[in-house]
Amino acid sequence: YMGANALAMNITDGTDSTSCTWTVSVNGTCTISATTPTTPGPVRIPFNAGATTNFQAAASIGCNFQWVLNGVAISGASGANYVLASADSALQVGGNVLQVQVTNGTSTDTKTWTVIKNTPPTCGSQLPPSPLTTISVGNNQNFTANGSDLNGDPLTFTWKDNGNAVDTSIYTITPGSNSSVANFAPTSSYVGARTIKADISDGYDAASCSWNVQVIPVCQIASSSPGGAIRPSSEMCSMI
């Protein structure tokens, strides 16, 4: 009986007759058979404004879809697939409720996800605290990055020198609890201005501790003679 049906009732008095007729549409039951993500959550999504997360639902034929975020129907979200953008103004930092509702007018089914918008990690503190540090060739300096994460996520640290992964023959990395220490022992090839960064990730978003570092050479007298000029071994050295 699924679909359109014609229903008629004949009425007679034994001599004449008439009838009443109806067109009856029989709908099936709207049921959501599968979803992506498969579990109700919590589903963590990045804070990064460019991040998106895909949600899907499969339902019976003939059912209409409506996606709802925090109790408000999402305009235009009437398909089996919905891409949730972290930049959505209705998405709050912390807990959110995303639902998909399917209905055919007589039957309705709903699935719900708990969605957590991530709180990014931060560089809680750094040592040395001053962003500008001077180191001479032959010396070494510890740089400490202390990360903080309100979600309590484990943090990973990636050290970079001028945007590139550090050379472990120059940098000695010592991990800690939500912290990391890089001991920098520059050689003469590192002379000049450098940017040292510790990128901090919680698996969803990232932050960084950063230092501007000036590596200076060891000043030595390259040559001298009585009555001749005395020249330092580097242009960065000055004569007194």
Side-chain angles (χ1 to χ4, degrees):
Y1 290 90
M2 290 284 292
N5 297 267
L7 178 64
M9 182 179 68
N10 293 323
I11 306 170
T12 181
D13 61 1
T15 303
D16 296 294
S17 64
T18 186
S19 64
C20 296
T21 61
W22 298 265
T23 299
V24 179
S25 180
V26 177
N27 295 328
T29 300
C30 271
T31 303
I32 297 173
S33 57
T35 61
T36 302
T38 56
T39 60
V43 178
R44 183 85 69 87
I45 66 173
F47 183 87
N48 181 353
T52 59
T53 305
N54 190 47
F55 291 82
Q56 293 178 318
S60 311
I61 296 174
C63 297
N64 298 314
F65 291 78
Q66 179 61 61
W67 294 82
V68 178
L69 179 60
N70 293 330
V72 179
I74 303 169
S75 177
S78 55
N81 180 74
Y82 179 65
V83 178
L84 180 59
S86 293
D88 191 322
S89 60
L91 193 63
Q92 307 164 1
V93 174
N96 299 265
V97 176
L98 178 68
Q99 293 179 309
V100 59
Q101 300 171 350
V102 295
T103 184
N104 58 11
T106 58
S107 175
T108 301
D109 194 12
T110 302
K111 292 296 182 184
T112 302
W113 292 269
T114 299
V115 178
I116 306 297
K117 185 174 181 178
N118 188 51
T119 301
T122 61
C123 174
S125 63
Q126 62 183 64
L127 294 172
S130 172
L132 180 60
T133 301
T134 301
I135 310 172
S136 61
V137 172
N139 289 332
N140 65 82
Q141 173 69 54
N142 279 339
F143 294 91
T144 303
N146 296 304
S148 177
D149 188 85
L150 291 179
N151 300 115
D153 297 318
L155 300 177
T156 59
F157 294 78
T158 303
W159 288 88
K160 294 181 179 179
D161 182 315
N162 285 351
N164 300 311
V166 297
D167 184 342
T168 53
S169 67
I170 300 297
Y171 288 84
T172 302
I173 309 302
T174 304
S177 177
N178 285 342
S179 67
S180 183
V181 178
N183 180 267
F184 179 38
T187 60
S188 58
S189 63
Y190 280 76
V191 169
R194 316 198 72 81
T195 299
I196 298 175
K197 291 179 67 176
D199 290 335
I200 307 168
S201 174
D202 64 358
Y204 301 93
D205 294 288
S208 63
C209 298
S210 180
W211 297 264
N212 293 321
V213 177
Q214 187 72 33
V215 178
I216 59 176
V218 174
C219 290
Q220 296 176 327
I221 297 175
S223 63
S224 65
S225 64
I230 298 176
R231 299 179 57 195
S233 61
S234 169
E235 293 181 359
M236 298 185 68
C237 297
S238 59
M239 293 186 293
I240 300 176

